[in-house]
Amino acid sequence: MRSVFVTPILTLFGLSTLALALHTKNAGPEEVELKFHLPPPVPLSPEEALADFQVEPGFRVELVACEPMIQSPVAISFDDQGRLYVCEMRGYMHDKEGAGEDEPTGRVSLLEDTDGDGRMDKSSVFLDGLVMPRSVLAVNGGVLIAEPPNLFFCKDTDGDGKADVKEIVTSDFGSKGGQPEHMANTPVWAMDNAIWAAGYATRLKLRGGQWLRDSGLGRGQWGLCQDDVGRLYFNYNSDFLRADLLPTEAFSRNPLLREASSINAKLAADQTVWPAHPTPGVNRGYDAKTLRADGTLAKPTATCGALIYRGGLFPAAYRGNAFIPEPSANLVKRFVMEEKDGIVAAKNVSKGTEFLRSTDERFRPVQAADGPDGALYLVDMYRGIIQHSSFLTHYLIANIEARKLELPYDRGRIWRIVPDKEPRPGAVRLPATAEERVAMLSHSNGWVRDAAQRLIVEAGGSQAAPALTKLLQDESAAPLARLHALWTLDGLMAMTPEIVRGALRDADARVRSAAVRVAGRDLAPDLVALTGEPDITVLAQLCIKLTSINLPEADAAAAKILASHGKNTLIREGALTGLRGREAAFAKLMVGTDPAQSAAVVGDLAKLLALANKAQPFADMVDLAASLPKGDAVQRAIVKGLSTSRDAKSKTPAKVLWLDAEPASLTALQKLTGPKDFAAVAARLAWPGKPGAGTPPKIVPLTAEQTALYEKGKVIYTTLCAACHQPHGFGLDGLAPPLVDSEWVLGKPEIPARIVLHGLAGPLKVGSRTFNLAMPPLMQLSNEDIAGVLTYIRRESDWEHTASPVDAKFIESVRAKNAGRVAMWTMDELKKGL
């Protein structure tokens, strides 16, 4: 929700606001000129706001709920009986300074339409006393509610509409007091029966009443949704729509695939917006590139809460479209989604107008959602100020003061969009029996299908399995129904090898692709036999699965696919997810195949080895390059890949990789490739006696006592640290920076000791990348525990770390030296100690 801004300006004048901007790095110019002669905006009643909407022909907007029933809504979720949970961030931005954000004024309300007229008429405060709650998801007969840093499961067990159960699911769902727009949000029960969230690198699964954690990838800023096949979509404040084109969890296996285009893929080339009125009061409105000559916003600055419409109520041309709020421009944009060979693109169909827009400057749509009636629902935060205080510029503060936009902050609306001239649809209420729920998997409304699948999986047991198997094997059933049946069986852990084999032969590629995903290792022979599969998306899934199996016959099958499709990005990147640690060996399998295809694959494998910073695997790839004829396409690709630097944008030299002796293949390679390319590869390697290489790092073996401390630290790291920094140490985007080769880990030991003891807040630069995250203090750990963890991360052999160990006395001295400190450390403070 970052960069969700405010409104136009009253008169033309200049104003200097030297002391107002709270975040100096985002303050913009101190002398600001407010342009355009516009009358002060007047807050509109719900009825007046409804009349002001401009919606695409063929649709109408209806009011579902408004103040005083709800205030400052930021998220909604329907339960299986059509009741609506509303998350209300009532403490947000009461003034320019953000006063009151630490007060427990937030709540989640439960709304009901008791008379069936489409308007919510009953409200219960389901849970209150919350500080800046940000998300809600109806699940398992209750609700997940996010109040950073906690994600709670709450439930009403006595039917009074109020939660009487409140259990912590996880305590790393954002940080207390952090930036609202830069923390975990929008948990979604996806088709794979996992709960994913935007800005959160862990996926959750409900199994037997227990919440299980698994690795994923943290991406997106505010909002998350899925399409009919379970692909995840999200966005960033200035980018309307992105998606993971392949399963997100596969890429967590290979942390060096950060730049893969199959995940976090940008979908919209044309990001033009067309507000209904001048909007010069956006946060960067002083920048000439932000606004058109008429004062309207040209590109998004606050996009959030995207939806891939799956409701089934809209005309066919609108199904599968993306509907995306842009609250700073007071509009909702529509994109038509196009797909070819698994590559998805968002086509901007609006020219000079939008699907929905308003001249009401307080119309702030922040989430779009499907409903149980097939309609499209919008959460409208309805307020003047929506930009958080930490990012307010002098320019925007001047607008706020001139326009008196701080009030009101206690309003909010939920809107529904339905086809015009059609009777108001009724909400579908999910039935109680397993057989009836299985039947709902064939419903035209994707929300209903998702809810039915979730309810069956939550219920567990084997009662639904026969009906699900029958549906999956029914060739006359709709492909999406068969797809849901497959995933529901998987969620129940009721899949059998025979059922999966049948699904692998399904006539629909979407079902075959999912069957490959759920297939177990015992079906390796069946998967190996599928190399002739014609569909690109199935082949990409097949390469993910085959390389994860790590069997010679599976690798050979993956190589066979790549020999024909290596240039295809989805297929190639899918294979790379499972090849970490086996790059050079797999590259040898590609030699002798079509060079146009194999060069793309081997080049990427060489790049991954260069990024891994491991000496022997790097040398193994040099050996392969030297064994190929001069000018060979694969040889050129290897050399180019090995020349890659992890911090190419940084002036810091790439890590030197030390070998015991000069490899003979390096001399051979020099005769086969150009001097510039060879020099880049040779510069990465060093050995004793190499001119100009200096002295090899001296590695002092750990004593028995230090080794015991190392082993203890490894256990603590695995249980306490690996969820964020990951077992491989490369961290997760949006959650934790890498530890491998980090100067913050391998430098003076006092630095990581300070971070563990007192935490770290704000931006942290690691190599060429900057992480704007917070690590909580861990002062409760003993001196010996901290010494063990630091010894482990500074000497982990798999990371090729050789820094000095740390003992408990040293940690004791650091703790005593900083005994009076309360605040977390900042990067600038720590730099003074480097």
Side-chain angles (χ1 to χ4, degrees):
M1 227 166 39
R2 178 181 173 182
S3 300
V4 187
F5 311 123
V6 296
T7 54
I9 313 89
L10 177 59
T11 56
L12 176 65
F13 64 99
L15 176 66
S16 176
T17 54
L18 297 179
L20 294 180
L22 300 182
H23 197 303
T24 56
K25 291 185 178 180
N26 290 279
E30 295 180 355
E31 298 290 337
V32 295
E33 181 183 27
L34 305 185
K35 302 177 180 179
F36 301 94
H37 298 270
L38 299 172
V42 177
L44 301 183
S45 69
E47 292 73 22
E48 292 170 328
L50 184 61
D52 189 70
F53 283 132
Q54 302 172 20
V55 66
E56 195 167 311
F59 296 90
R60 70 175 184 269
V61 183
E62 299 176 345
L63 180 65
V64 176
C66 64
E67 69 279 351
M69 182 179 283
I70 57 172
Q71 299 175 13
S72 297
V74 295
I76 59 173
S77 181
F78 285 96
D79 71 5
D80 56 277
Q81 297 305 303
R83 301 184 303 174
L84 183 62
Y85 290 92
V86 182
C87 181
E88 302 173 58
M89 194 184 284
R90 301 201 303 167
Y92 185 76
M93 291 302 291
H94 289 189
D95 55 30
K96 300 184 299 297
E97 289 74 32
E101 287 191 356
D102 57 348
E103 298 295 327
T105 57
R107 70 186 183 192
V108 171
S109 294
L110 175 58
L111 311 186
E112 298 180 62
D113 173 14
T114 61
D115 57 11
D117 67 352
R119 182 84 173 261
M120 298 298 175
D121 50 57
K122 180 181 178 181
S123 175
S124 303
V125 177
F126 182 77
L127 185 69
D128 59 5
L130 300 173
V131 178
M132 299 288 282
R134 56 196 301 98
S135 302
V136 61
L137 173 66
V139 64
N140 200 33
V143 191
L144 288 177
I145 296 174
E147 181 197 27
N150 297 315
L151 181 66
F152 295 105
F153 174 70
C154 303
K155 191 172 184 177
D156 168 22
T157 62
D158 57 13
D160 65 353
K162 300 179 184 297
D164 45 59
V165 171
K166 183 181 180 184
E167 303 169 345
I168 293 180
V169 174
T170 184
S171 293
D172 63 351
F173 207 77
S175 58
K176 187 174 182 178
Q179 302 294 344
E181 63 268 45
H182 287 291
M183 288 192 286
N185 63 84
T186 321
V188 171
W189 183 296
M191 185 169 281
D192 64 354
N193 302 301
I195 293 177
W196 297 86
Y200 188 58
T202 301
R203 55 176 176 157
L204 303 171
K205 287 192 175 183
L206 182 63
R207 293 292 182 267
Q210 301 298 313
W211 295 100
L212 307 179
R213 296 167 59 93
D214 198 0
S215 60
L217 290 176
R219 64 274 175 276
Q221 189 165 334
W222 186 274
L224 187 72
C225 64
Q226 67 173 346
D227 64 12
D228 276 338
V229 297
R231 280 178 298 219
L232 297 175
Y233 293 77
F234 42 93
N235 50 24
Y236 299 90
N237 62 313
S238 57
D239 192 340
F240 267 114
L241 196 62
R242 297 202 175 205
D244 292 338
L245 303 179
L246 292 177
T248 310
E249 70 274 10
F251 287 81
S252 66
R253 296 199 299 262
N254 196 336
L256 296 175
L257 283 173
R258 294 184 184 275
E259 305 302 323
S261 57
S262 302
I263 54 172
N264 200 24
K266 186 172 183 175
L267 305 184
D270 181 0
Q271 305 248 350
T272 309
V273 294
W274 299 99
H277 63 103
T279 56
V282 296
N283 207 24
R284 301 288 183 266
Y286 54 81
D287 188 332
K289 298 178 181 179
T290 301
L291 303 174
R292 299 185 180 93
D294 63 359
T296 58
L297 187 67
K299 303 289 183 181
T301 64
T303 179
C304 56
L307 171 71
I308 301 298
Y309 176 74
R310 304 167 58 222
L313 182 66
F314 286 12
Y318 292 81
R319 296 173 189 171
N321 286 190
F323 293 87
I324 310 173
E326 216 305 351
S328 69
N330 319 115
L331 60 83
V332 175
K333 174 167 280 294
R334 177 171 76 94
F335 287 96
V336 173
M337 306 306 292
E338 300 175 339
E339 180 179 354
K340 182 178 181 182
D341 291 337
I343 302 297
V344 179
K347 182 180 179 181
N348 190 344
V349 295
S350 302
K351 301 297 180 184
T353 187
E354 298 292 352
F355 176 75
L356 175 68
R357 60 183 189 169
S358 174
T359 62
D360 181 3
E361 299 167 21
R362 288 179 171 84
F363 171 53
R364 304 297 190 183
V366 294
Q367 184 191 16
D370 285 321
D373 55 0
L376 189 158
Y377 285 75
L378 289 175
V379 178
D380 177 6
M381 205 173 179
Y382 203 85
R383 53 175 38 242
I385 303 177
I386 199 166
Q387 172 67 65
H388 191 259
S389 59
S390 295
F391 295 97
L392 287 175
T393 60
H394 295 301
Y395 176 87
L396 188 49
I397 290 174
N399 276 285
I400 292 169
E401 293 180 339
R403 306 294 306 287
K404 297 180 172 56
L405 293 169
E406 291 178 309
L407 298 174
Y409 55 74
D410 58 354
R411 302 189 183 185
R413 291 93 191 254
I414 308 296
W415 306 101
R416 173 176 51 233
I417 301 175
V418 296
D420 200 9
K421 300 179 181 178
E422 295 287 341
R424 189 190 58 77
V428 174
R429 288 172 170 77
L430 276 293
T433 69
E435 292 77 9
E436 290 175 307
R437 288 174 175 175
V438 171
M440 287 292 183
L441 297 178
S442 299
H443 202 280
S444 61
N445 184 347
W447 182 94
V448 174
R449 296 195 303 272
D450 292 348
Q453 175 180 326
R454 175 179 59 80
L455 289 171
I456 296 170
V457 173
E458 287 173 351
S462 59
Q463 185 179 359
L468 289 167
T469 302
K470 182 179 179 181
L471 176 59
L472 174 60
Q473 297 174 346
D474 183 358
E475 295 181 359
S476 65
L480 290 180
R482 300 202 304 273
L483 182 64
H484 276 279
L486 184 152
W487 279 113
T488 309
L489 283 165
D490 183 65
L492 290 172
M493 294 179 284
M495 295 293 282
T496 66
E498 205 53 45
I499 293 175
V500 178
R501 288 190 182 100
L504 289 172
R505 299 189 298 269
D506 195 277
D508 193 277
R510 293 169 292 184
V511 178
R512 297 199 304 275
S513 181
V516 171
R517 286 184 66 182
V518 304
R521 187 183 178 88
D522 57 327
L523 290 178
D526 300 87
L527 298 170
V528 166
L530 295 177
T531 55
E533 163 67 45
D535 186 83
I536 294 297
T537 57
V538 179
L539 288 175
Q541 298 289 355
L542 191 57
C543 280
I544 290 173
K545 181 66 69 170
L546 289 171
T547 56
S548 72
I549 293 174
N550 193 12
L551 289 173
E553 56 269 33
D555 281 355
K560 182 179 179 181
I561 294 172
L562 291 166
S564 300
H565 300 282
K567 293 177 68 176
N568 183 281
T569 302
L570 291 184
I571 295 174
R572 184 176 69 255
E573 291 183 350
L576 293 175
T577 62
L579 292 175
R580 183 167 176 253
R582 297 185 289 127
E583 295 90 349
F586 192 88
K588 293 178 181 178
L589 297 178
M590 299 301 302
V591 174
T593 62
D594 180 353
Q597 304 292 340
S598 59
V601 178
V602 177
D604 276 359
L605 290 168
K607 178 179 179 180
L608 291 175
L609 277 180
L611 297 175
N613 285 343
K614 292 193 174 184
Q616 192 54 55
F618 190 100
D620 291 343
M621 194 64 89
V622 171
D623 291 345
L624 178 59
S627 71
L628 299 173
K630 184 175 183 178
D632 183 271
V634 173
Q635 182 186 79
R636 293 196 301 269
I638 291 175
V639 172
K640 181 179 179 181
L642 292 179
S643 303
T644 302
S645 170
R646 185 187 300 171
D647 292 318
K649 299 178 182 179
S650 172
K651 296 180 180 180
T652 305
K655 181 180 179 180
V656 175
L657 309 178
W658 281 88
L659 298 170
D660 293 334
E662 179 181 5
S665 59
L666 194 62
T667 302
L669 184 63
Q670 185 175 15
K671 301 175 182 178
L672 298 172
T673 188
K676 183 177 180 180
D677 293 335
F678 173 78
V681 173
R684 293 297 310 275
L685 295 174
W687 53 88
K690 179 182 180 181
T695 305
K698 184 178 181 181
I699 305 174
V700 179
L702 297 178
T703 64
E705 182 180 357
Q706 291 168 341
T707 300
L709 195 61
Y710 171 98
E711 293 298 335
K712 180 177 183 179
K714 183 175 183 179
V715 172
I716 296 172
Y717 178 87
T718 301
T719 57
L720 188 62
C721 312
C724 295
H725 292 288
Q726 297 295 290
H728 47 61
F730 284 97
L732 278 175
D733 290 342
L735 182 64
L739 303 179
V740 177
D741 298 328
S742 169
E743 61 270 34
W744 303 98
V745 172
L746 301 176
K748 292 183 179 180
E750 186 173 351
I751 301 303
R754 288 177 179 176
I755 294 173
V756 173
L757 284 167
H758 294 282
L760 175 66
L764 179 73
K765 190 170 184 179
V766 182
S768 62
R769 305 175 66 218
T770 299
F771 295 80
N772 194 7
L773 304 166
M775 175 180 165
L778 297 171
M779 293 186 68
Q780 72 274 19
L781 295 180
S782 69
N783 295 333
E784 185 175 289
D785 288 345
I786 296 175
V789 171
L790 296 189
T791 296
Y792 169 69
I793 65 175
R794 288 167 62 84
R795 290 300 291 261
E796 168 56 81
S797 58
D798 284 346
W799 304 350
E800 297 196 353
H801 282 189
T802 59
S804 62
V806 178
D807 60 31
K809 284 189 176 181
F810 177 79
I811 300 299
E812 182 180 9
S813 68
V814 176
R815 192 190 292 266
K817 183 178 179 180
N818 301 280
R821 188 176 183 89
V822 176
M824 294 182 180
W825 293 99
T826 67
M827 178 176 65
D828 290 339
E829 288 177 319
L830 291 173
K831 276 184 176 180
K832 297 176 182 178
L834 285 175

